[in-house]
Amino acid sequence: MRVDVWIWSVRLVKTRSMATAACRGGHVRVNDQRVKPASPVRPGDEVRVRHDGRERVVVVRRIVSKRVGAAVAQECLTDNSPPPPPREMLMPVARRERGAGRPTKRERRELDRLRGQ
């Protein structure tokens, strides 16, 4: 089974083309080795996928050739990923009132100071 098809089938990425692009970009590792999209994956392999700013670490338990539902996908892998960081740790997004326009130079400097830049 191709690694790009498998990570798409078990819903680690949203589309097959995203899975292929992740493999080509070096964001997918099988047993700590960078892989090409057509590289084979077998039960017992450890697959690491970096996607959306977080790394997923899964162990292949079962091979599926078609995209399956979420419940079946959980049976096909063992998730050893570290927990995502809490929402409080993520950088807050600056919000402006609707119609307030662009920030002034002074407001921009305050925002930069707040972000630590």
Side-chain angles (χ1 to χ4, degrees):
M1 162 69 45
R2 291 172 57 116
V3 68
D4 63 336
V5 174
W6 188 81
I7 64 175
W8 167 73
S9 297
V10 295
R11 299 175 172 260
L12 293 178
V13 292
K14 192 170 185 175
T15 64
R16 170 108 186 261
S17 60
M18 288 172 77
T20 304
C23 291
R24 286 192 182 131
H27 301 291
V28 178
R29 293 177 171 268
V30 175
N31 297 328
D32 288 328
Q33 302 249 335
R34 280 186 174 179
V35 292
K36 293 182 178 180
S39 297
V41 65
R42 295 175 184 83
D45 286 347
E46 180 185 70
V47 179
R48 293 175 175 264
V49 180
R50 262 190 301 142
H51 182 66
D52 286 338
R54 105 175 243 228
E55 185 176 43
R56 300 282 309 268
V57 180
V58 296
V59 177
V60 180
R61 288 198 326 201
R62 196 171 89 195
I63 300 295
V64 289
S65 58
K66 291 184 177 181
R67 189 163 170 98
V68 293
V72 178
Q74 288 301 316
E75 297 171 3
C76 298
L77 57 92
T78 304
D79 196 355
N80 297 331
S81 303
R87 287 188 169 256
E88 296 83 32
M89 296 298 293
L90 298 175
M91 183 180 287
V93 178
R95 300 272 184 207
R96 293 182 58 81
E97 292 182 28
R98 187 174 174 95
R102 294 177 54 182
T104 63
K105 191 172 190 177
R106 179 180 180 187
E107 291 171 339
R108 169 62 64 199
R109 286 180 180 156
E110 289 173 359
L111 286 171
D112 287 345
R113 218 175 293 122
L114 180 69
R115 290 183 185 141
Q117 295 177 349

Short mmCIF file of all heavy atoms in Angstrom, two decimals, residues 9-73:
data_model
loop_
_atom_site.label_atom_id
_atom_site.label_comp_id
_atom_site.label_asym_id
_atom_site.label_seq_id
_atom_site.Cartn_x
_atom_site.Cartn_y
_atom_site.Cartn_z
N SER A 9 -6.40 7.68 3.52
CA SER A 9 -7.48 6.73 3.83
C SER A 9 -7.87 6.74 5.30
O SER A 9 -9.04 6.58 5.63
CB SER A 9 -7.06 5.31 3.45
OG SER A 9 -6.85 5.21 2.07
N VAL A 10 -6.89 6.93 6.19
CA VAL A 10 -7.19 6.91 7.62
C VAL A 10 -7.41 8.33 8.17
O VAL A 10 -7.37 8.53 9.37
CB VAL A 10 -6.11 6.18 8.43
CG1 VAL A 10 -6.07 4.72 8.05
CG2 VAL A 10 -4.77 6.84 8.28
N ARG A 11 -7.58 9.28 7.28
CA ARG A 11 -7.99 10.65 7.63
C ARG A 11 -6.95 11.45 8.42
O ARG A 11 -7.29 12.25 9.26
CB ARG A 11 -9.32 10.63 8.38
CG ARG A 11 -10.42 10.04 7.55
CD ARG A 11 -11.71 9.91 8.32
NE ARG A 11 -12.76 9.53 7.42
CZ ARG A 11 -13.66 10.37 6.91
NH1 ARG A 11 -13.63 11.63 7.21
NH2 ARG A 11 -14.59 9.92 6.09
N LEU A 12 -5.66 11.23 8.14
CA LEU A 12 -4.64 12.08 8.75
C LEU A 12 -4.52 13.40 7.98
O LEU A 12 -4.10 14.40 8.54
CB LEU A 12 -3.29 11.36 8.78
CG LEU A 12 -3.23 10.16 9.71
CD1 LEU A 12 -1.87 9.50 9.62
CD2 LEU A 12 -3.53 10.55 11.13
N VAL A 13 -4.87 13.38 6.69
CA VAL A 13 -4.94 14.59 5.88
C VAL A 13 -6.28 14.59 5.15
O VAL A 13 -6.92 13.55 5.00
CB VAL A 13 -3.77 14.70 4.86
CG1 VAL A 13 -2.45 14.89 5.55
CG2 VAL A 13 -3.73 13.50 3.95
N LYS A 14 -6.67 15.77 4.68
CA LYS A 14 -8.01 15.93 4.13
C LYS A 14 -8.14 15.39 2.70
O LYS A 14 -9.15 14.80 2.36
CB LYS A 14 -8.39 17.41 4.16
CG LYS A 14 -9.83 17.67 3.89
CD LYS A 14 -10.17 19.10 4.19
CE LYS A 14 -11.65 19.35 4.04
NZ LYS A 14 -12.01 20.70 4.42
N THR A 15 -7.12 15.62 1.87
CA THR A 15 -7.20 15.19 0.47
C THR A 15 -5.99 14.35 0.10
O THR A 15 -4.93 14.42 0.73
CB THR A 15 -7.27 16.40 -0.48
OG1 THR A 15 -6.06 17.13 -0.39
CG2 THR A 15 -8.46 17.28 -0.17
N ARG A 16 -6.14 13.60 -0.97
CA ARG A 16 -5.05 12.76 -1.46
C ARG A 16 -3.92 13.62 -1.97
O ARG A 16 -2.74 13.31 -1.78
CB ARG A 16 -5.59 11.84 -2.55
CG ARG A 16 -4.53 11.08 -3.30
CD ARG A 16 -4.51 9.62 -2.95
NE ARG A 16 -3.38 8.97 -3.59
CZ ARG A 16 -3.48 8.28 -4.71
NH1 ARG A 16 -4.64 8.12 -5.30
NH2 ARG A 16 -2.40 7.72 -5.22
N SER A 17 -4.24 14.73 -2.62
CA SER A 17 -3.18 15.61 -3.13
C SER A 17 -2.39 16.24 -1.98
O SER A 17 -1.19 16.46 -2.10
CB SER A 17 -3.76 16.68 -4.04
OG SER A 17 -4.68 17.48 -3.36
N MET A 18 -3.04 16.53 -0.86
CA MET A 18 -2.33 17.05 0.31
C MET A 18 -1.38 15.98 0.87
O MET A 18 -0.27 16.30 1.32
CB MET A 18 -3.31 17.49 1.40
CG MET A 18 -4.04 18.76 1.06
SD MET A 18 -5.34 19.13 2.24
CE MET A 18 -4.37 19.76 3.58
N ALA A 19 -1.80 14.72 0.83
CA ALA A 19 -0.95 13.63 1.30
C ALA A 19 0.28 13.49 0.41
O ALA A 19 1.40 13.34 0.89
CB ALA A 19 -1.74 12.33 1.33
N THR A 20 0.08 13.58 -0.90
CA THR A 20 1.19 13.47 -1.84
C THR A 20 2.15 14.65 -1.68
O THR A 20 3.37 14.47 -1.67
CB THR A 20 0.66 13.42 -3.28
OG1 THR A 20 -0.27 12.33 -3.38
CG2 THR A 20 1.78 13.21 -4.28
N ALA A 21 1.61 15.85 -1.51
CA ALA A 21 2.45 17.04 -1.33
C ALA A 21 3.24 16.96 -0.02
O ALA A 21 4.40 17.37 0.03
CB ALA A 21 1.59 18.29 -1.36
N ALA A 22 2.63 16.42 1.02
CA ALA A 22 3.33 16.27 2.30
C ALA A 22 4.50 15.30 2.16
O ALA A 22 5.58 15.53 2.71
CB ALA A 22 2.36 15.80 3.38
N CYS A 23 4.30 14.22 1.42
CA CYS A 23 5.39 13.26 1.20
C CYS A 23 6.51 13.89 0.38
O CYS A 23 7.69 13.74 0.71
CB CYS A 23 4.87 12.02 0.47
SG CYS A 23 3.77 11.00 1.46
N ARG A 24 6.15 14.61 -0.66
CA ARG A 24 7.16 15.25 -1.50
C ARG A 24 7.93 16.33 -0.74
O ARG A 24 9.10 16.57 -0.99
CB ARG A 24 6.52 15.87 -2.73
CG ARG A 24 6.11 14.85 -3.75
CD ARG A 24 5.74 15.49 -5.06
NE ARG A 24 5.31 14.46 -5.99
CZ ARG A 24 4.21 14.52 -6.70
NH1 ARG A 24 3.43 15.59 -6.62
NH2 ARG A 24 3.88 13.54 -7.51
N GLY A 25 7.26 17.00 0.19
CA GLY A 25 7.89 18.06 0.96
C GLY A 25 8.70 17.57 2.14
O GLY A 25 9.28 18.37 2.86
N GLY A 26 8.75 16.27 2.36
CA GLY A 26 9.53 15.73 3.46
C GLY A 26 8.83 15.79 4.80
O GLY A 26 9.48 15.70 5.84
N HIS A 27 7.52 15.92 4.80
CA HIS A 27 6.76 16.02 6.05
C HIS A 27 6.24 14.67 6.54
O HIS A 27 5.56 14.61 7.56
CB HIS A 27 5.59 16.98 5.88
CG HIS A 27 6.00 18.36 5.50
ND1 HIS A 27 6.68 19.20 6.34
CD2 HIS A 27 5.87 19.03 4.33
CE1 HIS A 27 6.93 20.34 5.73
NE2 HIS A 27 6.45 20.26 4.50
N VAL A 28 6.53 13.61 5.80
CA VAL A 28 6.08 12.27 6.18
C VAL A 28 7.31 11.39 6.34
O VAL A 28 8.19 11.36 5.49
CB VAL A 28 5.13 11.68 5.11
CG1 VAL A 28 4.73 10.27 5.48
CG2 VAL A 28 3.91 12.55 4.93
N ARG A 29 7.36 10.69 7.48
CA ARG A 29 8.46 9.75 7.75
C ARG A 29 7.87 8.40 8.14
O ARG A 29 6.90 8.35 8.90
CB ARG A 29 9.35 10.25 8.88
CG ARG A 29 10.12 11.49 8.53
CD ARG A 29 10.92 11.96 9.74
NE ARG A 29 11.83 13.03 9.36
CZ ARG A 29 13.09 12.84 8.98
NH1 ARG A 29 13.60 11.63 8.94
NH2 ARG A 29 13.85 13.85 8.65
N VAL A 30 8.46 7.36 7.61
CA VAL A 30 8.07 5.99 7.98
C VAL A 30 9.29 5.36 8.62
O VAL A 30 10.35 5.27 7.98
CB VAL A 30 7.60 5.18 6.76
CG1 VAL A 30 7.32 3.74 7.15
CG2 VAL A 30 6.36 5.81 6.15
N ASN A 31 9.17 4.97 9.86
CA ASN A 31 10.28 4.40 10.64
C ASN A 31 11.49 5.33 10.59
O ASN A 31 12.63 4.90 10.34
CB ASN A 31 10.64 3.00 10.13
CG ASN A 31 9.49 2.03 10.30
OD1 ASN A 31 8.71 2.14 11.24
ND2 ASN A 31 9.35 1.10 9.38
N ASP A 32 11.27 6.61 10.82
CA ASP A 32 12.29 7.66 10.86
C ASP A 32 13.06 7.82 9.55
O ASP A 32 14.22 8.22 9.56
CB ASP A 32 13.27 7.43 12.02
CG ASP A 32 12.62 7.72 13.36
OD1 ASP A 32 11.74 8.60 13.40
OD2 ASP A 32 12.99 7.08 14.35
N GLN A 33 12.45 7.52 8.44
CA GLN A 33 13.05 7.73 7.12
C GLN A 33 12.08 8.54 6.27
O GLN A 33 10.90 8.23 6.21
CB GLN A 33 13.29 6.38 6.43
CG GLN A 33 14.16 5.44 7.20
CD GLN A 33 15.48 5.24 6.53
OE1 GLN A 33 15.60 5.40 5.34
NE2 GLN A 33 16.49 4.90 7.31
N ARG A 34 12.60 9.61 5.63
CA ARG A 34 11.75 10.36 4.71
C ARG A 34 11.32 9.44 3.59
O ARG A 34 12.10 8.60 3.13
CB ARG A 34 12.52 11.53 4.10
CG ARG A 34 12.62 12.71 4.98
CD ARG A 34 13.27 13.82 4.21
NE ARG A 34 13.24 15.04 5.00
CZ ARG A 34 13.75 16.17 4.60
NH1 ARG A 34 14.34 16.26 3.44
NH2 ARG A 34 13.67 17.22 5.37
N VAL A 35 10.09 9.61 3.15
CA VAL A 35 9.57 8.70 2.13
C VAL A 35 8.98 9.48 0.97
O VAL A 35 8.56 10.63 1.11
CB VAL A 35 8.49 7.76 2.71
CG1 VAL A 35 9.10 6.78 3.68
CG2 VAL A 35 7.37 8.52 3.34
N LYS A 36 8.96 8.83 -0.18
CA LYS A 36 8.28 9.35 -1.36
C LYS A 36 6.82 8.90 -1.30
O LYS A 36 6.49 7.96 -0.55
CB LYS A 36 8.95 8.82 -2.62
CG LYS A 36 10.36 9.33 -2.82
CD LYS A 36 10.93 8.80 -4.10
CE LYS A 36 12.32 9.35 -4.34
NZ LYS A 36 12.90 8.84 -5.58
N PRO A 37 5.94 9.52 -2.08
CA PRO A 37 4.52 9.15 -2.01
C PRO A 37 4.23 7.68 -2.30
O PRO A 37 3.32 7.10 -1.73
CB PRO A 37 3.87 10.04 -3.07
CG PRO A 37 4.78 11.19 -3.23
CD PRO A 37 6.16 10.68 -2.96
N ALA A 38 5.02 7.05 -3.18
CA ALA A 38 4.75 5.66 -3.54
C ALA A 38 5.43 4.65 -2.64
O ALA A 38 5.35 3.45 -2.89
CB ALA A 38 5.17 5.42 -4.99
N SER A 39 6.08 5.09 -1.59
CA SER A 39 6.76 4.16 -0.68
C SER A 39 5.74 3.26 0.00
O SER A 39 4.65 3.71 0.37
CB SER A 39 7.55 4.93 0.37
OG SER A 39 8.55 5.69 -0.24
N PRO A 40 6.12 2.01 0.22
CA PRO A 40 5.15 1.08 0.84
C PRO A 40 5.05 1.29 2.35
O PRO A 40 6.00 1.72 3.00
CB PRO A 40 5.73 -0.30 0.52
CG PRO A 40 7.20 -0.06 0.38
CD PRO A 40 7.34 1.33 -0.20
N VAL A 41 3.89 0.98 2.88
CA VAL A 41 3.66 1.01 4.32
C VAL A 41 3.04 -0.34 4.70
O VAL A 41 2.21 -0.88 3.96
CB VAL A 41 2.78 2.21 4.74
CG1 VAL A 41 1.39 2.11 4.19
CG2 VAL A 41 2.74 2.37 6.22
N ARG A 42 3.49 -0.89 5.84
CA ARG A 42 3.04 -2.21 6.27
C ARG A 42 2.57 -2.14 7.72
O ARG A 42 2.96 -1.23 8.44
CB ARG A 42 4.19 -3.21 6.17
CG ARG A 42 4.67 -3.44 4.77
CD ARG A 42 5.90 -4.35 4.75
NE ARG A 42 6.40 -4.50 3.41
CZ ARG A 42 7.22 -3.64 2.81
NH1 ARG A 42 7.63 -2.56 3.43
NH2 ARG A 42 7.62 -3.84 1.57
N PRO A 43 1.79 -3.09 8.17
CA PRO A 43 1.40 -3.11 9.59
C PRO A 43 2.64 -3.17 10.48
O PRO A 43 3.60 -3.89 10.20
CB PRO A 43 0.56 -4.38 9.72
CG PRO A 43 0.02 -4.60 8.35
CD PRO A 43 1.09 -4.14 7.41
N GLY A 44 2.63 -2.37 11.54
CA GLY A 44 3.75 -2.30 12.46
C GLY A 44 4.66 -1.12 12.21
O GLY A 44 5.49 -0.78 13.04
N ASP A 45 4.55 -0.47 11.04
CA ASP A 45 5.38 0.70 10.73
C ASP A 45 4.92 1.90 11.55
O ASP A 45 3.72 2.07 11.82
CB ASP A 45 5.29 1.07 9.24
CG ASP A 45 6.05 0.11 8.35
OD1 ASP A 45 6.84 -0.69 8.89
OD2 ASP A 45 5.84 0.15 7.13
N GLU A 46 5.89 2.76 11.92
CA GLU A 46 5.57 4.01 12.60
C GLU A 46 5.59 5.12 11.57
O GLU A 46 6.58 5.32 10.88
CB GLU A 46 6.59 4.31 13.69
CG GLU A 46 6.29 5.61 14.42
CD GLU A 46 7.37 5.98 15.41
OE1 GLU A 46 8.46 6.34 14.96
OE2 GLU A 46 7.10 5.91 16.61
N VAL A 47 4.48 5.85 11.45
CA VAL A 47 4.35 6.92 10.47
C VAL A 47 4.25 8.25 11.21
O VAL A 47 3.42 8.39 12.13
CB VAL A 47 3.10 6.71 9.58
CG1 VAL A 47 2.95 7.83 8.58
CG2 VAL A 47 3.17 5.37 8.87
N ARG A 48 5.11 9.21 10.84
CA ARG A 48 5.08 10.56 11.42
C ARG A 48 4.66 11.52 10.32
O ARG A 48 5.30 11.57 9.27
CB ARG A 48 6.45 10.96 11.95
CG ARG A 48 6.89 10.16 13.13
CD ARG A 48 8.30 10.52 13.55
NE ARG A 48 8.66 9.81 14.75
CZ ARG A 48 8.55 10.32 15.97
NH1 ARG A 48 8.12 11.54 16.14
NH2 ARG A 48 8.89 9.60 17.02
N VAL A 49 3.61 12.30 10.59
CA VAL A 49 3.10 13.26 9.62
C VAL A 49 3.06 14.63 10.27
O VAL A 49 2.43 14.81 11.31
CB VAL A 49 1.67 12.88 9.14
CG1 VAL A 49 1.15 13.88 8.14
CG2 VAL A 49 1.65 11.48 8.56
N ARG A 50 3.76 15.61 9.66
CA ARG A 50 3.68 17.00 10.13
C ARG A 50 2.64 17.70 9.27
O ARG A 50 2.79 17.81 8.06
CB ARG A 50 5.03 17.70 9.97
CG ARG A 50 5.81 17.72 11.23
CD ARG A 50 7.02 18.60 11.15
NE ARG A 50 7.88 18.15 10.08
CZ ARG A 50 8.57 18.96 9.28
NH1 ARG A 50 8.52 20.24 9.44
NH2 ARG A 50 9.32 18.47 8.33
N HIS A 51 1.57 18.17 9.92
CA HIS A 51 0.47 18.79 9.18
C HIS A 51 -0.24 19.80 10.10
O HIS A 51 -0.49 19.50 11.27
CB HIS A 51 -0.51 17.70 8.73
CG HIS A 51 -1.65 18.21 7.92
ND1 HIS A 51 -1.49 18.77 6.68
CD2 HIS A 51 -2.97 18.24 8.18
CE1 HIS A 51 -2.68 19.12 6.22
NE2 HIS A 51 -3.60 18.81 7.12
N ASP A 52 -0.53 20.95 9.58
CA ASP A 52 -1.22 22.01 10.33
C ASP A 52 -0.49 22.40 11.61
O ASP A 52 -1.10 22.62 12.66
CB ASP A 52 -2.66 21.59 10.67
CG ASP A 52 -3.57 21.62 9.46
OD1 ASP A 52 -3.24 22.34 8.49
OD2 ASP A 52 -4.61 20.95 9.48
N GLY A 53 0.83 22.45 11.55
CA GLY A 53 1.60 22.92 12.68
C GLY A 53 1.76 21.94 13.82
O GLY A 53 2.22 22.30 14.89
N ARG A 54 1.40 20.69 13.60
CA ARG A 54 1.58 19.69 14.65
C ARG A 54 2.02 18.38 14.04
O ARG A 54 1.77 18.12 12.86
CB ARG A 54 0.31 19.59 15.47
CG ARG A 54 -0.58 18.42 15.28
CD ARG A 54 -1.72 18.45 16.27
NE ARG A 54 -1.64 17.30 17.13
CZ ARG A 54 -2.67 16.52 17.40
NH1 ARG A 54 -3.84 16.78 16.92
NH2 ARG A 54 -2.51 15.49 18.18
N GLU A 55 2.68 17.57 14.83
CA GLU A 55 3.17 16.29 14.33
C GLU A 55 2.30 15.17 14.87
O GLU A 55 2.03 15.10 16.06
CB GLU A 55 4.62 16.06 14.76
CG GLU A 55 5.20 14.80 14.17
CD GLU A 55 6.66 14.62 14.50
OE1 GLU A 55 7.04 14.86 15.66
OE2 GLU A 55 7.40 14.22 13.60
N ARG A 56 1.85 14.31 13.96
CA ARG A 56 1.07 13.13 14.34
C ARG A 56 1.98 11.92 14.24
O ARG A 56 2.65 11.73 13.23
CB ARG A 56 -0.13 12.94 13.40
CG ARG A 56 -1.12 14.08 13.35
CD ARG A 56 -2.06 14.12 14.52
NE ARG A 56 -2.74 12.88 14.81
CZ ARG A 56 -3.93 12.55 14.34
NH1 ARG A 56 -4.57 13.34 13.53
NH2 ARG A 56 -4.48 11.40 14.68
N VAL A 57 2.01 11.11 15.28
CA VAL A 57 2.81 9.88 15.31
C VAL A 57 1.82 8.73 15.45
O VAL A 57 1.12 8.62 16.46
CB VAL A 57 3.80 9.88 16.48
CG1 VAL A 57 4.62 8.60 16.48
CG2 VAL A 57 4.68 11.11 16.44
N VAL A 58 1.77 7.87 14.43
CA VAL A 58 0.83 6.75 14.45
C VAL A 58 1.56 5.47 14.08
O VAL A 58 2.55 5.50 13.37
CB VAL A 58 -0.37 6.98 13.50
CG1 VAL A 58 -1.21 8.15 13.93
CG2 VAL A 58 0.08 7.16 12.08
N VAL A 59 1.05 4.36 14.59
CA VAL A 59 1.56 3.05 14.24
C VAL A 59 0.49 2.35 13.41
O VAL A 59 -0.69 2.32 13.80
CB VAL A 59 1.89 2.22 15.51
CG1 VAL A 59 2.34 0.82 15.14
CG2 VAL A 59 2.94 2.93 16.32
N VAL A 60 0.88 1.81 12.28
CA VAL A 60 -0.05 1.15 11.37
C VAL A 60 -0.47 -0.19 11.97
O VAL A 60 0.37 -1.02 12.30
CB VAL A 60 0.61 0.91 9.99
CG1 VAL A 60 -0.37 0.22 9.04
CG2 VAL A 60 1.10 2.22 9.40
N ARG A 61 -1.78 -0.36 12.13
CA ARG A 61 -2.30 -1.65 12.62
C ARG A 61 -2.93 -2.45 11.49
O ARG A 61 -2.88 -3.67 11.49
CB ARG A 61 -3.34 -1.43 13.72
CG ARG A 61 -2.72 -0.97 15.00
CD ARG A 61 -3.57 -1.14 16.21
NE ARG A 61 -5.01 -0.96 16.01
CZ ARG A 61 -5.86 -0.68 16.97
NH1 ARG A 61 -5.42 -0.53 18.19
NH2 ARG A 61 -7.13 -0.55 16.73
N ARG A 62 -3.55 -1.73 10.56
CA ARG A 62 -4.26 -2.41 9.47
C ARG A 62 -4.16 -1.56 8.21
O ARG A 62 -4.14 -0.34 8.29
CB ARG A 62 -5.72 -2.61 9.86
CG ARG A 62 -6.44 -3.61 9.00
CD ARG A 62 -7.79 -3.92 9.56
NE ARG A 62 -8.74 -2.95 8.98
CZ ARG A 62 -9.95 -2.73 9.45
NH1 ARG A 62 -10.37 -3.35 10.51
NH2 ARG A 62 -10.74 -1.87 8.87
N ILE A 63 -4.11 -2.20 7.07
CA ILE A 63 -4.04 -1.50 5.79
C ILE A 63 -5.45 -1.41 5.21
O ILE A 63 -6.18 -2.40 5.19
CB ILE A 63 -3.12 -2.27 4.80
CG1 ILE A 63 -1.71 -2.39 5.36
CG2 ILE A 63 -3.12 -1.62 3.45
CD1 ILE A 63 -0.99 -1.07 5.51
N VAL A 64 -5.81 -0.21 4.75
CA VAL A 64 -7.08 -0.02 4.06
C VAL A 64 -6.78 0.65 2.73
O VAL A 64 -5.91 1.52 2.64
CB VAL A 64 -8.07 0.83 4.88
CG1 VAL A 64 -8.58 0.07 6.08
CG2 VAL A 64 -7.46 2.13 5.32
N SER A 65 -7.48 0.24 1.68
CA SER A 65 -7.18 0.78 0.35
C SER A 65 -8.10 1.91 -0.04
O SER A 65 -7.77 2.69 -0.93
CB SER A 65 -7.27 -0.34 -0.69
OG SER A 65 -8.55 -0.92 -0.66
N LYS A 66 -9.25 2.03 0.62
CA LYS A 66 -10.19 3.10 0.33
C LYS A 66 -10.33 3.98 1.55
O LYS A 66 -10.08 3.55 2.67
CB LYS A 66 -11.57 2.54 -0.03
CG LYS A 66 -11.62 1.81 -1.33
CD LYS A 66 -13.04 1.40 -1.61
CE LYS A 66 -13.16 0.71 -2.95
NZ LYS A 66 -14.55 0.32 -3.22
N ARG A 67 -10.79 5.22 1.34
CA ARG A 67 -11.04 6.12 2.46
C ARG A 67 -12.21 5.57 3.27
O ARG A 67 -13.24 5.22 2.72
CB ARG A 67 -11.35 7.52 1.95
CG ARG A 67 -11.40 8.55 3.06
CD ARG A 67 -11.28 9.93 2.43
NE ARG A 67 -11.56 10.98 3.37
CZ ARG A 67 -10.62 11.66 4.02
NH1 ARG A 67 -9.36 11.36 3.84
NH2 ARG A 67 -10.94 12.63 4.84
N VAL A 68 -12.01 5.53 4.58
CA VAL A 68 -13.02 4.91 5.45
C VAL A 68 -13.53 5.94 6.44
O VAL A 68 -12.96 7.02 6.60
CB VAL A 68 -12.43 3.70 6.19
CG1 VAL A 68 -12.10 2.58 5.24
CG2 VAL A 68 -11.20 4.09 6.99
N GLY A 69 -14.59 5.60 7.13
CA GLY A 69 -15.17 6.48 8.13
C GLY A 69 -14.24 6.64 9.33
O GLY A 69 -13.29 5.88 9.52
N ALA A 70 -14.53 7.63 10.15
CA ALA A 70 -13.66 7.95 11.28
C ALA A 70 -13.56 6.80 12.28
O ALA A 70 -12.49 6.54 12.84
CB ALA A 70 -14.18 9.21 11.98
N ALA A 71 -14.65 6.09 12.51
CA ALA A 71 -14.63 4.99 13.47
C ALA A 71 -13.74 3.85 12.97
O ALA A 71 -12.96 3.28 13.73
CB ALA A 71 -16.04 4.48 13.71
N VAL A 72 -13.83 3.53 11.70
CA VAL A 72 -13.01 2.46 11.12
C VAL A 72 -11.55 2.91 11.04
O VAL A 72 -10.63 2.12 11.25
CB VAL A 72 -13.54 2.06 9.73
CG1 VAL A 72 -12.67 0.99 9.10
CG2 VAL A 72 -14.98 1.59 9.83
N ALA A 73 -11.33 4.19 10.75
CA ALA A 73 -9.97 4.72 10.65
C ALA A 73 -9.23 4.60 11.97
O ALA A 73 -8.03 4.31 11.99
CB ALA A 73 -9.99 6.18 10.18
#
